[in-house]
Amino acid sequence: MSAKTKSPDKAAAEDLNPYHIAQQQFDAAARYVPQLDPGLAVFLKQPSRMIIVEFPIETASGEVRNYVGYRCLHNAARGPGKGGIRYHPDVTADEVRALASWMTWKCAVLDVPFGGAKGGIVCNPKQRTKDDLRKITRRFIAELGDAIGPYVDIPAPDVNTNAETMAWIYDTYEMMHKGQNNLGVVTGKPVEMGGSLGRREATSRGCLFCTQQALARGVVPGLDTVKGATVVVQGYGNAGAIAAQLYAEQGARIIAVSDSRGGIYNPEGIDPLGALKHKQETGSVVGYGGCQEVSNEALLATPCDILIPAALENVIRADNAAQIKAKVIAEAANGPTTPAADRMLFERGIVVLPDILANAGGVTVSYYEWVQNNENEQWEEDEVNGKMRKKMVKATDAVIEKQKEINASLDALENERKKRGLGGAPLEPVDLRTAAYILAVSRVANVTLARGIWP
Ligand code: NAD
């Protein structure tokens, strides 16, 4: 069972539908933007387009299997849609809608000229051969037809998809659109075929840059650097395993990590590369030498300085937020914290660096990959990392400043709401997630209005 469907009795009252959560987050932020036209708010909240396709493949064992795939374009006001494709048995239409909307806000926070999109196929890749996965990918992309494209909607990797999957996507699209430069149809490609140096590590590296900047700005009382900090990582895939390596390189001590099969703990520190090698050899970090085994629930409650959720949605909820003992949570995953948990953590002074900021290094370098593809260029890795660092630092600063600005003007905002006849509970100080949303929603709203609502 995936983290997002795990809802112990205590959390039963909490709505864990990711799309409902994304909408709640939007509504919470929109209250601080009183000038936002109510009709425009409805438009910004909903996806522009949702494509659902069903298709068969003939598997390696000769049976015919049917698959459901989704591609959601949430908003394209600021540019073509951008967002990963996820392969997971628990993918739902609402999860894809939520992930697509988070992409819209993420691109706006980072000021990357893309809109938000996401895709997913309901499948268990662990039970499929590589050949099956290639057929599933090709058929899905063929079904999407011109709904994706370098200037329309640009996929990328997400859970259980990687550079190889992106190569299949490119190749399929290329077969259907010969005679033009199609490299920009997908990002996260292998470097030898148009991928960007630094893209594989970008989500985790961006998360590190965001954490470093937030700590340097004094956002987390008693913690001003990653150096010497204790770190716990949930999820040991692209985002999590590389985050463990990069934080360790900066002098942090990785004391616990986990994957879908369980976790490991060692207060003296875990060698991230050793744990990764063990996972590659055995399928899990569990059993890695010198470590105690821990459950994913116990892992989240481990006392540490920095907790990095890097797996799936809804892992920090109303029923376990009180047990979190980290000083700061850096959300490498999308949607790991529910709104109820956000409130509890904010009240306890635990800072959350929200997904739409903290994991945006991935889409930022995807943007650089797209630029390189369009210009037939290959940038040096240092150049890519340097540009991304600048963007992450700027966005982190902007979100911190927005939080300060909003929290210093609650009375004025309240008056503005009254003047406009807007009701509701009194405005309360906002956390960094709501501040990031306010920034993003304002940016997308402004662009929509500047373009003029068509026709
Ligand atoms: P991945 O498939 O490479 O890795 C996912 C990891 O999570 C695996 O180690 C898996 O075992 C683990 N996992 C799954 N269920 C778990 C559970 N219940 N408890 C603990 N661990 C569990 O995927 P990824 O690309 O690293 O994505 C992880 C998260 O990061 C997702 O939320 C994704 O949307 C987000 N993200 C990824 C990127 C990217 O560029 N890959 C960019 C931004 C955000």
Side-chain angles (χ1 to χ4, degrees):
M1 188 192 284
S2 86
K4 78 172 177 265
T5 52
K6 236 186 250 169
S7 51
D9 290 348
K10 264 167 86 184
E14 208 182 353
D15 181 355
L16 295 180
N17 177 311
Y19 184 47
H20 296 171
I21 287 176
Q23 295 198 316
Q24 283 173 42
Q25 291 167 340
F26 178 94
D27 288 338
R31 299 190 69 229
Y32 296 82
V33 192
Q35 70 279 17
L36 184 65
D37 181 283
L40 182 56
V42 173
F43 168 70
L44 294 178
K45 216 161 103 166
Q46 316 287 358
S48 293
R49 178 176 78 187
M50 179 64 165
I51 297 172
I52 305 177
V53 294
E54 299 220 15
F55 56 87
I57 66 142
E58 195 173 357
T59 66
S61 56
E63 54 172 339
V64 176
R65 273 181 174 255
N66 199 51
Y67 288 91
V68 179
Y70 303 100
R71 185 73 192 173
C72 177
L73 177 66
H74 174 258
N75 187 290
R78 301 181 76 258
K82 187 84 193 81
I85 293 186
R86 173 175 296 196
Y87 291 177
H88 198 279
D90 296 336
V91 164
T92 64
D94 273 354
E95 179 184 56
V96 175
R97 288 187 180 100
L99 289 162
S101 73
W102 290 327
M103 287 306 297
T104 299
W105 312 129
K106 192 181 300 179
C107 292
V109 168
L110 265 288
D111 204 7
V112 164
F114 287 136
K118 203 81 179 192
I121 298 179
V122 188
C123 71
N124 188 345
K126 288 181 187 157
Q127 294 171 357
R128 300 269 58 92
T129 64
K130 197 182 200 180
D131 245 21
D132 289 351
L133 290 172
R134 189 163 42 87
K135 287 182 191 170
I136 290 170
T137 305
R138 284 198 187 284
R139 187 69 194 251
F140 178 52
I141 296 306
E143 295 289 339
L144 290 180
D146 286 336
I148 62 165
Y151 303 101
V152 180
D153 181 357
I154 306 148
D158 194 76
V159 175
N160 289 326
T161 58
N162 54 26
E164 185 174 44
T165 327
M166 302 306 116
W168 298 332
I169 293 177
Y170 165 71
D171 187 69
T172 309
Y173 187 85
E174 166 81 0
M175 291 295 158
M176 296 158 60
H177 300 82
K178 284 185 187 286
Q180 58 189 48
N181 174 8
N182 292 313
L183 283 173
V185 69
V186 65
T187 58
K189 298 180 291 295
V191 171
E192 60 273 23
M193 53 165 287
S196 178
L197 292 165
R199 173 60 185 90
R200 199 177 66 85
E201 303 84 2
T203 302
S204 320
R205 184 169 276 125
C207 190
L208 171 70
F209 290 154
C210 170
T211 308
Q212 287 176 319
Q213 182 64 6
L215 297 186
R217 294 271 317 239
V219 164
V220 183
L223 188 68
D224 59 10
T225 170
V226 164
K227 194 167 180 204
T230 51
V231 175
V232 168
V233 182
Q234 188 203 38
Y236 218 60
N238 177 277
I242 298 175
Q245 286 160 45
L246 295 178
Y247 280 69
E249 275 171 21
Q250 294 304 310
R253 183 155 39 103
I254 312 301
I255 58 168
V257 303
S258 70
D259 56 37
S260 58
R261 299 196 193 164
I264 52 172
Y265 171 70
N266 184 346
E268 303 305 319
I270 296 168
D271 168 25
L273 282 172
L276 181 62
K277 193 160 172 271
H278 184 80
K279 183 173 165 68
Q280 283 160 350
E281 285 165 5
T282 66
S284 175
V285 292
V286 176
Y288 179 56
C291 299
Q292 262 171 259
E293 274 186 38
V294 285
S295 67
N296 262 295
E297 279 306 302
L299 176 119
L300 292 173
T302 304
C304 63
D305 294 315
I306 305 170
L307 172 61
I308 306 179
L312 295 168
E313 298 92 83
N314 296 338
V315 291
I316 303 172
R317 304 171 302 262
D319 64 303
N320 66 358
Q323 276 87 56
I324 302 284
K325 295 176 195 78
K327 292 191 178 123
V328 56
I329 299 174
E331 294 186 334
N334 285 304
T337 313
T338 67
D342 263 338
R343 280 191 294 277
M344 291 165 71
L345 295 168
F346 190 54
E347 277 164 19
R348 292 178 55 211
I350 297 176
V351 176
V352 177
L353 302 173
D355 47 8
I356 58 171
L357 169 67
N359 72 36
V363 73
T364 302
V365 175
S366 274
Y367 164 53
Y368 297 147
E369 180 173 328
W370 182 78
V371 173
Q372 292 170 72
N373 292 158
N374 290 341
E375 296 182 350
N376 286 310
E377 286 281 340
Q378 172 105 73
W379 302 347
E380 298 295 329
E381 186 167 355
D382 281 357
E383 188 180 351
V384 173
N385 293 345
K387 281 183 196 282
M388 192 260 279
R389 186 176 182 285
K390 257 193 191 162
K391 270 229 176 274
M392 287 303 300
V393 166
K394 197 171 169 191
T396 305
D397 283 346
V399 171
I400 293 170
E401 290 307 322
K402 183 54 82 177
Q403 184 190 32
K404 284 190 184 155
E405 176 200 316
I406 294 289
N407 290 345
S409 52
L410 292 176
D411 288 346
L413 284 167
E414 198 74 74
N415 287 339
E416 188 60 32
R417 284 185 64 79
K418 280 198 187 115
K419 249 188 0 205
R420 292 170 184 262
L422 300 167
L427 296 177
E428 290 185 0
V430 297
D431 58 12
L432 289 172
R433 186 184 320 278
T434 305
Y437 257 84
I438 294 169
L439 185 68
V441 169
S442 306
R443 284 179 176 171
V444 180
N446 289 345
V447 168
T448 310
L449 294 175
R451 287 174 62 155
I453 309 261
W454 198 85

